[in-house]
Amino acid sequence: MKKLQEKIMQDIGWKLLSLVIAIALWFMVINMEHPVTTRIYTQTVTMENIDALTKQGLTVLNKAQLENMKVSAKLKAQRTALDRLTQYRNSIRAVIDFSKLENIKSGDTAALDVSFLLPDSAGTGFEIVSQSPEQAQVIVEKLAAKRMPIEVRVSGEAGNGYTTLQPQISPSSVQVSGASSVINHVKKVQVNVELQQASEDIVVTAEPIAYDENGKQVEGVTMDVSKVHVSIGVQKNKVVNLNVSTEGTPARGYEIAEIKWSPKTINIAGSEAILNHLQSVTLPTVDVTDATETITQSVLLNEILPQGVMLGNDTPLEAEVSVVIQQQEEQQQQITVQSALITLEGEEENYEYTLSENSVSLQLTGTARALAMITTGSIPVKANVTDLSIGEQNVPLEINLPQDVTLVGEMPSVTVTIIEKEKPAEQPEESEQQEETEQPEQSEQTDEQEQTEQDQLVMNIQSPPTAEE
């Protein structure tokens, strides 16, 4: 044993030098065949355990920014190892683990380490020389969500003579969630469909997108559905007028100032036979009875269309009708009533009645509409002369004014002159009349007798007497 030790220790220096040289030569050979080098690998950030924030009612405000963040790492290893890693480069991950966030609240900003993880399948022997960035700034904010209807934006046009019906979408709504400040900017969720001169029904699958009030896409939101199904019917089309009517009368002193409605025309679709006979669509009548303020109504157009007729895609679902009611402004107007048109009531047969005035002026006030309806002779004017004595009498007039018209000032009066009628001449008594009638008869008889006697005398003179005589 002692001899062995002595043998080993003999020339120990040379032996150690030989060992070092051998090892160095081995490394030189290895490096020549498998040299060590560096390569840079870049990967997009992956966020893990974000549910840890969600459970606290929090979310990441700059989530979209983090999702697009690139992380680069310089790796050192043998070339063969790096070649092997390149084959698995899609499995390399740059991870942000949100479970490491503790005691954080809305509005806080935290720095989280970014872990550059290599796949196990690539083996070992890798060294991360450098990494950029090594940390990610995370902005935490209160989580908010709201359910919103999904709108369909149809671009392009249907084929000539065709129109599209109202789109049918499933599901019809979506829940949008994200940081509260981001969700507040979301004003609509929309899917886009291109018509491309369609002449038959369209069925597509589209992605819902959140937009702000300016029509700009809102980033950093998530939705509970990623795709929706949209179907749009295509049929023959026609543009028709939309009509409005009213019934009743506003309250006294009020009037209809204006009737407004929108749209004025609508695009409808249906069979050609039905469309040929349909020239307009009338909205339900607006009742303005006793109204004192503007009446506004919304009408679902689908509910008033004839059977077999549907709305075109470019027509709103509702029509807005506004009947403007305003208080009538009072005006003044003077009218003249001729005396001949004044009716006297209570006249007695033995008296004559004469009006001193040729006419009477009336100052009226009322609404423009009511005054415009007044014409000459349309207002009954009366004067009551019952039991009035002979002479000049001041008699107040009685005027029956129409609704919304009043008399300005005191009730006018007229001067009526009353006189007794002249009695007719007295008639002769009946006996005297009979004598007067008999005397002519007697004179006529006397005349006849005298004429007969004269005729007889003449005959006697003309005829000579005979022998016998």
Side-chain angles (χ1 to χ4, degrees):
M1 185 69 178
K2 186 176 180 180
K3 290 182 177 181
L4 179 61
Q5 291 178 351
E6 291 177 352
K7 192 172 183 178
I8 292 174
M9 296 301 293
Q10 187 179 0
D11 299 326
I12 187 64
W14 291 105
K15 291 179 179 178
L16 290 175
L17 178 61
S18 299
L19 179 62
V20 171
I21 293 173
I23 293 173
L25 289 174
W26 183 81
F27 275 106
M28 288 178 62
V29 172
I30 292 298
N31 287 333
M32 291 178 63
E33 293 183 359
H34 304 286
V36 175
T37 186
T38 60
R39 289 182 188 174
I40 296 176
Y41 292 87
T42 301
Q43 190 57 269
T44 303
V45 163
T46 300
M47 293 185 289
E48 291 186 348
N49 298 317
I50 198 169
D51 292 345
L53 288 178
T54 305
K55 292 178 181 179
Q56 302 178 56
L58 300 174
T59 189
V60 180
L61 177 61
N62 58 336
K63 181 179 179 182
Q65 178 184 353
L66 295 176
E67 289 175 338
N68 295 320
M69 188 173 76
K70 302 289 185 179
V71 178
S72 297
K74 181 184 286 189
L75 301 183
K76 180 180 179 182
Q78 292 180 351
R79 185 174 60 187
T80 54
L82 293 176
D83 290 341
R84 185 170 60 255
L85 177 61
T86 301
Q87 297 177 5
Y88 298 98
R89 67 184 310 155
N90 291 335
S91 298
I92 299 174
R93 296 191 304 148
V95 177
I96 300 175
D97 188 356
F98 287 94
S99 65
K100 297 180 180 180
L101 285 176
E102 297 179 356
N103 301 323
I104 196 166
K105 59 182 181 298
S106 178
D108 288 351
T109 299
L112 276 179
D113 292 335
V114 180
S115 301
F116 205 85
L117 305 178
L118 304 180
D120 294 337
S121 55
T124 60
F126 301 97
E127 178 186 354
I128 299 177
V129 177
S130 63
Q131 176 183 319
S132 178
E134 295 182 350
Q135 289 184 326
Q137 296 296 318
V138 179
I139 304 174
V140 178
E141 192 172 295
K142 183 179 180 181
L143 178 66
K146 61 181 177 180
R147 181 158 292 277
M148 301 183 67
I150 302 176
E151 301 177 8
V152 180
R153 179 182 177 272
V154 180
S155 58
E157 296 181 352
N160 188 27
Y162 290 87
T163 190
T164 54
L165 305 181
Q166 291 294 334
Q168 303 298 315
I169 185 169
S170 177
S172 60
S173 64
V174 62
Q175 180 166 297
V176 185
S177 58
S180 58
S181 61
V182 175
I183 295 300
N184 290 337
H185 286 87
V186 178
K187 300 304 179 184
K188 64 180 178 181
V189 176
Q190 181 176 284
V191 294
N192 301 306
V193 179
E194 177 68 34
L195 288 181
Q196 299 179 344
Q197 297 294 314
S199 59
E200 58 184 15
D201 294 350
I202 301 171
V203 179
V204 297
T205 300
E207 177 185 1
I209 302 174
Y211 293 94
D212 62 15
E213 59 184 2
N214 297 318
K216 184 179 179 181
Q217 183 175 348
V218 178
E219 303 288 350
V221 298
T222 58
M223 302 184 191
D224 60 351
V225 293
S226 59
K227 298 289 183 180
V228 295
H229 300 283
V230 182
S231 61
I232 304 176
V234 179
Q235 286 193 349
K236 284 285 187 179
N237 74 305
K238 183 178 183 179
V239 177
V240 297
N241 292 327
L242 200 60
N243 299 329
V244 178
S245 61
T246 62
E247 64 179 2
T249 304
R252 182 173 181 177
Y254 291 83
E255 63 181 354
I256 298 175
E258 185 182 6
I259 302 177
K260 299 183 290 186
W261 69 99
S262 179
K264 292 291 195 306
T265 61
I266 57 174
N267 191 8
I268 57 175
S271 67
E272 189 170 357
I274 294 177
L275 296 183
N276 287 340
H277 291 87
L278 186 61
Q279 304 303 323
S280 63
V281 174
T282 301
L283 295 171
T285 302
V286 181
D287 188 0
V288 299
T289 302
D290 295 331
T292 59
E293 57 185 15
T294 297
I295 301 174
T296 301
Q297 292 182 355
S298 296
V299 180
L300 290 174
L301 293 174
N302 276 326
E303 295 182 355
I304 65 170
L305 291 178
Q307 188 175 3
V309 178
M310 291 159 285
L311 289 175
N313 180 52
D314 55 351
T315 298
L317 295 176
E318 291 185 345
E320 297 291 336
V321 182
S322 181
V323 181
V324 181
I325 307 295
Q326 69 178 18
Q327 195 166 9
Q328 297 172 331
E329 295 183 1
E330 289 195 345
Q331 301 179 1
Q332 288 195 358
Q333 176 177 313
Q334 186 176 21
I335 65 170
T336 300
V337 179
Q338 300 297 324
S339 297
L341 299 178
I342 299 176
T343 303
L344 299 181
E345 290 186 339
E347 293 179 287
E348 295 186 13
E349 295 181 358
N350 296 332
Y351 295 144
E352 289 184 359
Y353 300 85
T354 306
L355 297 180
S356 301
E357 295 85 352
N358 293 326
S359 62
V360 176
S361 295
L362 302 177
Q363 189 71 21
L364 306 178
T365 183
T367 63
R369 176 180 296 181
L371 292 176
M373 298 178 64
I374 296 176
T375 59
T376 302
S378 65
I379 299 179
V381 181
K382 302 176 183 179
N384 194 335
V385 296
T386 303
D387 297 332
L388 293 183
S389 59
I390 295 173
E392 291 187 353
Q393 306 291 343
N394 191 31
V395 182
L397 295 177
E398 298 177 5
I399 305 173
N400 187 12
L401 294 174
Q403 188 178 8
D404 297 332
V405 176
T406 57
L407 182 67
V408 178
E410 297 181 356
M411 183 68 67
S413 59
V414 292
T415 301
V416 181
T417 302
I418 306 173
I419 62 174
E420 190 173 3
K421 292 182 178 179
E422 294 183 0
K423 293 183 179 180
E426 295 183 358
Q427 298 294 330
E429 296 181 1
E430 184 177 353
S431 60
E432 294 178 353
Q433 292 178 357
Q434 290 179 353
E435 289 179 357
E436 291 178 356
T437 54
E438 290 176 356
Q439 287 178 358
E441 291 180 358
Q442 291 177 358
S443 60
E444 289 177 0
Q445 292 177 358
T446 304
D447 292 341
E448 290 178 358
Q449 291 177 357
E450 290 179 353
Q451 183 65 36
T452 302
E453 290 177 355
Q454 290 177 0
D455 291 342
Q456 186 175 1
L457 178 58
V458 171
M459 290 179 61
N460 290 336
I461 296 173
Q462 291 178 354
S463 302
T466 61
E468 294 180 356
E469 291 178 348

